[in-house]
PDB file of all heavy atoms in Angstrom:
ATOM      1  N   THR R 229     114.379  96.068 106.252  1.00 97.00           N
ATOM      2  CA  THR R 229     114.545  94.678 105.636  1.00 97.00           C
ATOM      3  C   THR R 229     115.512  94.760 104.418  1.00 97.00           C
ATOM      4  O   THR R 229     116.434  93.748 104.318  1.00 97.00           O
ATOM      5  CB  THR R 229     113.323  94.017 105.367  1.00 97.00           C
ATOM      6  OG1 THR R 229     112.569  94.860 104.469  1.00 97.00           O
ATOM      7  CG2 THR R 229     112.576  93.571 106.475  1.00 97.00           C
ATOM      8  N   VAL R 230     115.269  95.585 103.671  1.00 97.00           N
ATOM      9  CA  VAL R 230     116.020  95.651 102.373  1.00 97.00           C
ATOM     10  C   VAL R 230     117.066  96.876 102.176  1.00 97.00           C
ATOM     11  O   VAL R 230     117.910  96.934 101.382  1.00 97.00           O
ATOM     12  CB  VAL R 230     115.169  95.741 101.105  1.00 97.00           C
ATOM     13  CG1 VAL R 230     115.834  95.399  99.819  1.00 97.00           C
ATOM     14  CG2 VAL R 230     114.070  94.637 101.329  1.00 97.00           C
ATOM     15  N   ASP R 231     116.927  97.823 103.175  1.00 98.00           N
ATOM     16  CA  ASP R 231     117.784  98.982 103.191  1.00 98.00           C
ATOM     17  C   ASP R 231     117.631  99.803 101.807  1.00 98.00           C
ATOM     18  O   ASP R 231     118.611 100.117 101.293  1.00 98.00           O
ATOM     19  CB  ASP R 231     119.079  98.801 103.448  1.00 98.00           C
ATOM     20  CG  ASP R 231     119.956 100.041 103.842  1.00 98.00           C
ATOM     21  OD1 ASP R 231     119.310 101.172 104.051  1.00 98.00           O
ATOM     22  OD2 ASP R 231     121.201 100.036 103.852  1.00 98.00           O
ATOM     23  N   VAL R 232     116.393  99.908 101.351  1.00 98.00           N
ATOM     24  CA  VAL R 232     116.121 100.662 100.095  1.00 98.00           C
ATOM     25  C   VAL R 232     116.480 102.012 100.217  1.00 98.00           C
ATOM     26  O   VAL R 232     116.313 102.695 101.216  1.00 98.00           O
ATOM     27  CB  VAL R 232     114.679 100.473  99.642  1.00 98.00           C
ATOM     28  CG1 VAL R 232     114.331  99.076  99.166  1.00 98.00           C
ATOM     29  CG2 VAL R 232     113.659 100.877 100.754  1.00 98.00           C
ATOM     30  N   GLU R 233     117.136 102.551  99.207  1.00 97.00           N
ATOM     31  CA  GLU R 233     117.629 104.038  99.149  1.00 97.00           C
ATOM     32  C   GLU R 233     116.388 104.910  99.007  1.00 97.00           C
ATOM     33  O   GLU R 233     116.263 105.963  99.575  1.00 97.00           O
ATOM     34  CB  GLU R 233     118.601 104.186  97.970  1.00 97.00           C
ATOM     35  CG  GLU R 233     119.091 105.603  97.947  1.00 97.00           C
ATOM     36  CD  GLU R 233     119.973 106.028  99.240  1.00 97.00           C
ATOM     37  OE1 GLU R 233     120.665 105.117  99.718  1.00 97.00           O
ATOM     38  OE2 GLU R 233     119.770 107.079  99.621  1.00 97.00           O
ATOM     39  N   SER R 234     115.517 104.370  98.142  1.00 98.00           N
ATOM     40  CA  SER R 234     114.217 105.239  97.911  1.00 98.00           C
ATOM     41  C   SER R 234     112.997 104.301  98.090  1.00 98.00           C
ATOM     42  O   SER R 234     113.001 103.170  97.655  1.00 98.00           O
ATOM     43  CB  SER R 234     114.179 105.801  96.529  1.00 98.00           C
ATOM     44  OG  SER R 234     115.389 106.420  96.239  1.00 98.00           O
ATOM     45  N   VAL R 235     111.955 104.931  98.529  1.00 98.00           N
ATOM     46  CA  VAL R 235     110.639 104.359  98.480  1.00 98.00           C
ATOM     47  C   VAL R 235     109.703 105.256  97.734  1.00 98.00           C
ATOM     48  O   VAL R 235     109.464 106.437  98.094  1.00 98.00           O
ATOM     49  CB  VAL R 235     110.037 104.157  99.927  1.00 98.00           C
ATOM     50  CG1 VAL R 235     108.608 103.545  99.883  1.00 98.00           C
ATOM     51  CG2 VAL R 235     110.890 103.254 100.840  1.00 98.00           C
ATOM     52  N   VAL R 236     109.305 104.702  96.543  1.00 98.00           N
ATOM     53  CA  VAL R 236     108.382 105.566  95.705  1.00 98.00           C
ATOM     54  C   VAL R 236     106.962 105.231  96.030  1.00 98.00           C
ATOM     55  O   VAL R 236     106.725 103.997  95.839  1.00 98.00           O
ATOM     56  CB  VAL R 236     108.748 105.315  94.235  1.00 98.00           C
ATOM     57  CG1 VAL R 236     107.898 106.072  93.372  1.00 98.00           C
ATOM     58  CG2 VAL R 236     110.214 105.649  93.869  1.00 98.00           C
ATOM     59  N   ILE R 237     106.163 106.045  96.342  1.00 98.00           N
ATOM     60  CA  ILE R 237     104.834 105.837  96.814  1.00 98.00           C
ATOM     61  C   ILE R 237     103.844 106.146  95.578  1.00 98.00           C
ATOM     62  O   ILE R 237     103.783 107.289  95.142  1.00 98.00           O
ATOM     63  CB  ILE R 237     104.302 106.737  97.910  1.00 98.00           C
ATOM     64  CG1 ILE R 237     105.160 106.342  99.212  1.00 98.00           C
ATOM     65  CG2 ILE R 237     102.781 106.442  98.300  1.00 98.00           C
ATOM     66  CD1 ILE R 237     105.003 107.200 100.395  1.00 98.00           C
ATOM     67  N   GLY R 238     103.136 104.995  95.149  1.00 97.00           N
ATOM     68  CA  GLY R 238     102.160 105.189  93.991  1.00 97.00           C
ATOM     69  C   GLY R 238     100.867 104.416  94.308  1.00 97.00           C
ATOM     70  O   GLY R 238     100.694 104.021  95.466  1.00 97.00           O
ATOM     71  N   GLY R 239     100.122 104.352  93.256  1.00 95.00           N
ATOM     72  CA  GLY R 239      98.771 103.693  93.460  1.00 95.00           C
ATOM     73  C   GLY R 239      97.636 104.627  93.718  1.00 95.00           C
ATOM     74  O   GLY R 239      98.042 105.882  93.773  1.00 95.00           O
ATOM     75  N   GLY R 240      96.463 104.215  93.730  1.00 91.00           N
ATOM     76  CA  GLY R 240      95.229 105.050  93.894  1.00 91.00           C
ATOM     77  C   GLY R 240      95.349 106.134  94.993  1.00 91.00           C
ATOM     78  O   GLY R 240      95.025 107.335  94.795  1.00 91.00           O
ATOM     79  N   LEU R 241      95.853 105.706  96.185  1.00 93.00           N
ATOM     80  CA  LEU R 241      95.867 106.636  97.212  1.00 93.00           C
ATOM     81  C   LEU R 241      96.819 107.775  97.024  1.00 93.00           C
ATOM     82  O   LEU R 241      96.693 108.803  97.721  1.00 93.00           O
ATOM     83  CB  LEU R 241      96.306 105.985  98.554  1.00 93.00           C
ATOM     84  CG  LEU R 241      95.160 105.073  99.328  1.00 93.00           C
ATOM     85  CD1 LEU R 241      95.845 104.707 100.588  1.00 93.00           C
ATOM     86  CD2 LEU R 241      93.958 105.848  99.425  1.00 93.00           C
ATOM     87  N   SER R 242      97.893 107.627  96.170  1.00 92.00           N
ATOM     88  CA  SER R 242      98.868 108.728  95.848  1.00 92.00           C
ATOM     89  C   SER R 242      98.195 109.815  95.329  1.00 92.00           C
ATOM     90  O   SER R 242      98.738 110.928  95.177  1.00 92.00           O
ATOM     91  CB  SER R 242     100.018 108.149  95.144  1.00 92.00           C
ATOM     92  OG  SER R 242      99.600 107.816  93.876  1.00 92.00           O
TER      93      SER R 242
END
Side-chain angles (χ1 to χ4, degrees):
T229 50
V230 191
D231 194 13
V232 288
E233 183 61 40
S234 312
V235 178
V236 181
I237 299 173
L241 283 192
S242 67

